[in-house]
Amino acid sequence: MVRHSHPKARFAIMPRRYCQDSPDAVASCELDDMVLLYHRPSGQTHMVISPVPEILAALDDGAALTAEEVHGELARLYDLGAAEDAVPLVEAHLAELTALGLVRLT
C-alpha cells in the first residue's frame, strides 16, 4: 500500500548558508577597480570586480550567512535596489564563489 502525504503538507526548505573558506586562505590585492584574489589552497589567482569584494567582506567575520543576509549587510552600505531583484544576483555570485573554492556551504 502506498501512502500519500497530506496535500497541504509543507516541507521547510533550509536556505543555503555560505562562509569564507578560511581567514587565511585568500590574499587580496586591489588594482584600480579590480581585485586580485590569490586562493592559497588551490594556488589560483582570480580577478574580480564589484560586488565580489563586497560580498566577501560581508562574510569576513566567519559567520555563515544566507544570500538574504548577505544582501542585508550590503544594503546597509549600498543602494542595491529591490531585494527581490538583488537577492538572486547575490545568490548567483555566492554560487560562483563556491565553485571557485573561495566560499563554502555550511
Side-chain angles (χ1 to χ4, degrees):
M1 171 181 256
V2 176
R3 294 182 184 231
H4 297 282
S5 62
H6 190 275
K8 293 188 179 187
R10 303 275 184 212
F11 294 97
I13 298 174
M14 299 300 294
R16 286 180 235 143
R17 293 195 165 277
Y18 300 88
C19 66
Q20 283 197 33
D21 185 22
S22 71
D24 60 343
V26 177
S28 65
C29 176
E30 291 185 33
L31 301 170
D32 296 322
D33 292 336
M34 186 183 329
V35 176
L36 299 177
L37 301 173
Y38 175 68
H39 187 239
R40 289 182 178 102
S42 69
Q44 294 183 342
T45 300
H46 306 282
M47 296 182 294
V48 298
I49 58 171
S50 185
V52 171
E54 293 83 358
I55 290 171
L56 291 174
L59 298 171
D60 198 29
D61 66 358
L65 302 177
T66 65
E68 291 82 9
E69 292 167 335
V70 170
H71 172 268
E73 292 291 320
L74 296 176
R76 292 179 227 247
L77 303 171
Y78 309 101
D79 179 12
L80 302 179
E84 60 269 9
D85 297 329
V87 170
L89 297 174
V90 170
E91 180 78 42
H93 283 297
L94 288 166
E96 290 172 3
L97 291 168
T98 301
L100 293 173
L102 300 172
V103 169
R104 63 183 167 85
L105 289 166
T106 61

